[in-house]
Structures are given as C-alpha cells and as structure tokens.
Amino acid sequence: IPFLGIYLKNLLTNKVERKHDVTGLTQTPILGEICHGKDKEFVVAKATVKTPISEMFRLIRTNLHFTGIGAENKCLLVTSSMSGEGKSFFCVNIGTSFAGTGKNVLIIEFDLRRPKLMKNLGLESKKGLTDYIVGDVEQLENVVVPSGIEDSLDILPAGTIPPNPAELMLNEKVAQMVRE
C-alpha cells in the first residue's frame, strides 16, 4: 500500500521537481542548476569567492555565453509566477558573475509592485525606472546606481511605486529604455 501511494502521488503531481521533468517534456536545454543553501548571504558569486554555489553561477555564465555566441548586446530576462522564488538572488549573482569577467552589467529592477532588490543590497535610491518612464527624470543615467559589488555592475532601481504598474509597463519609454 505505501508503494502504491508513492506511485500515485508521483503520477498525479504536476509540479516541476526534477531536471527530467523539463528535459523529458521540452527541448529546452538546462544551462545549470542552483542549489538551495542555508547561508543567508545575498551575494554569493563574487570573483574572489570559491564556493560550490559561486561555481554553479560561473557554470551558468559560461553556458549562457556559449548559447549567445554571435549576439552583440545580450539581454537576459528572469521571471517567475510568484514572489520568493529567487529572481533577485539569481539576477544579482549571475550579474556579479558576468561583471567579474569585465562585462558591463545593468540589472533593471522591474518589480514595480514590491521592489526589494535595493534593500537586499543595502542601497538606497529615491528615483528609478518609474520616474524615468513618467518623465520625472530626463536621462536614464541619472537614476542608475553603482552596485558596490563590482565596478562594472550597476542597478536601475524600480523607483517610486506607481498606482498602475501594469499600464506603466506598456509605455513607449520602456522600449526606448531597453534600446538605450
């Protein structure tokens, strides 16, 4: 009976729990895996750090490099359906990994409802992306903040929390910002 229960549970589950759940159903390549650690440190992929998790970020960086050979300005979108799944953690650490090789990296905090990237990094900024989109700030460079982690890693904070984030994302200045 226990084996039947375990078999039925595995048969009826519709969650992605293993690497095989992705590779068995799609043609999507797996570029790497990040383990869940007990350490509460937010930035783990600094160039001088040689831990297993920092090596995992370097492996993903290398694999991303090889998937984008020939592309000029590369853009990486990190998204998920729920809060707390590690988007900010992944962005900061993969960005740190790229910046450690001398690449210029800009992390755009596009969570306009509950931005927390700047707080997690211990940085402050009054103005940001939303202020640029609505026209309170003319130049994008005026709201970009140095990360303090690597010299070539900068952050574009979310800025003032708007009453209508979904509509703000449809503004034509967002496409202009991405081009810049």
Side-chain angles (χ1 to χ4, degrees):
I1 292 177
F3 292 114
L4 180 63
I6 293 170
Y7 176 75
L8 286 174
K9 178 191 171 279
N10 288 336
L11 188 65
L12 298 174
T13 188
N14 61 357
K15 294 181 181 178
V16 175
E17 295 176 340
R18 298 176 307 243
K19 187 176 180 178
H20 175 71
D21 295 339
V22 174
T23 58
L25 297 172
T26 70
Q27 298 296 316
T28 305
I30 303 295
L31 300 179
E33 299 175 79
I34 303 295
C35 65
H36 184 79
K38 294 178 183 173
D39 194 7
K40 298 294 181 194
E41 195 170 339
F42 193 69
V43 182
V44 296
K46 295 177 185 170
T48 57
V49 177
K50 303 287 187 225
T51 61
I53 194 164
S54 67
E55 291 300 323
M56 289 178 201
F57 278 104
R58 288 185 191 100
L59 174 67
I60 292 172
R61 177 194 69 206
T62 302
N63 290 338
L64 279 169
H65 173 74
F66 283 114
T67 60
I69 288 180
E72 276 188 42
N73 294 321
K74 297 172 189 142
C75 183
L76 177 64
L77 171 69
V78 178
T79 186
S80 73
S81 60
M82 294 173 37
S83 177
E85 291 183 329
K87 297 177 291 294
S88 297
F89 176 78
F90 180 80
C91 286
V92 166
N93 285 290
I94 199 69
T96 301
S97 182
F98 273 109
T101 66
K103 303 275 187 205
N104 290 322
V105 178
L106 175 67
I107 298 175
I108 302 172
E109 184 177 28
F110 226 117
D111 185 349
L112 302 182
R113 288 190 173 93
R114 286 181 299 266
K116 55 187 168 204
L117 178 64
M118 297 295 283
K119 181 182 173 193
N120 287 339
L121 291 173
L123 300 173
E124 285 193 34
S125 176
K126 302 276 190 231
K127 303 281 184 184
L129 176 63
T130 56
D131 304 290
Y132 170 74
I133 293 171
V134 298
D136 290 347
V137 175
E138 289 295 321
Q139 296 295 320
L140 199 56
E141 297 83 26
N142 295 339
V143 290
V144 172
V145 177
S147 69
I149 302 166
E150 294 280 345
D151 291 339
S152 59
L153 176 64
D154 295 317
I155 311 290
L156 176 55
T160 308
I161 298 174
N164 56 347
E167 290 81 16
L168 202 61
M169 289 181 190
L170 299 174
N171 190 300
E172 64 188 42
K173 281 189 98 173
V174 172
Q176 178 184 336
M177 176 209 50
V178 172
R179 282 191 300 274
E180 284 184 46

